[in-house]
Amino acid sequence: MIITSDNIYNITCENTKINYEKLTIIINNFLISKNFKVSDIGVIYINMGPGSFAGVRNSLSIVKAFNIVKKIDFYCYSLKDFSGEDDVSYENIPNLCNKFKIKKNLINPIYIS
């Protein structure tokens, strides 16, 4: 999902091993289709789960690469971080991260026992 001051763009892809392997291509094609470049990204918000380990791991690897190479800040959150909140839509995640003081560039894994 890309959120700008004027619009919200999103894409949905099948959750498959093949898509994990070409996730950077999918992201790049999505950016190109909306006339954006990686350099246009200011901040990335990444959901830490629950979800498949491989999916979270692959997503985090790409986000960390963007942070290292392009200096793009990221916020790792879980929907559990926002418990008690009424509007937990993905479009509202940036506001919720600010409200709940989610720290940037910090990965807080969720452990399930």
Side-chain angles (χ1 to χ4, degrees), residues 5-84:
S5 57
D6 299 323
N7 290 307
I8 296 173
Y9 309 96
N10 59 37
I11 186 174
T12 303
C13 295
E14 188 178 357
N15 187 5
T16 66
K17 181 179 179 182
I18 293 169
N19 282 345
Y20 291 151
E21 293 173 357
K22 60 180 186 175
L23 187 54
T24 54
I25 295 168
I26 292 169
I27 292 169
N28 192 53
N29 288 342
F30 175 55
L31 290 171
I32 290 169
S33 75
K34 302 301 177 192
N35 296 316
F36 288 106
K37 296 180 260 181
V38 172
S39 59
D40 295 325
I41 300 172
V43 178
I44 298 173
Y45 297 88
I46 183 166
N47 187 340
M48 292 300 300
S52 76
F53 176 76
V56 172
R57 182 190 66 213
N58 290 344
S59 300
L60 263 179
S61 296
I62 291 168
V63 167
K64 287 172 69 176
F66 283 145
N67 174 258
I68 291 168
V69 175
K70 296 291 188 177
K71 308 295 185 236
I72 299 172
D73 287 327
F74 63 90
Y75 292 83
C76 293
Y77 69 90
S78 167
L79 296 179
K80 293 178 182 180
D81 292 332
F82 312 130
S83 62

Side-chain angles (χ1 to χ4, degrees), residues 4 24 59 65 77 80 88 93 100 106:
T4 69
T24 54
S59 300
Y77 69 90
K80 293 178 182 180
V88 190
I93 294 300
F100 286 84
L106 179 65

Side-chain angles (χ1 to χ4, degrees), residues 3 43 45 82 89-99:
I3 301 172
V43 178
Y45 297 88
F82 312 130
S89 63
Y90 287 111
E91 296 85 357
N92 197 31
I93 294 300
N95 295 330
L96 292 173
C97 285
N98 286 336
K99 179 178 179 178

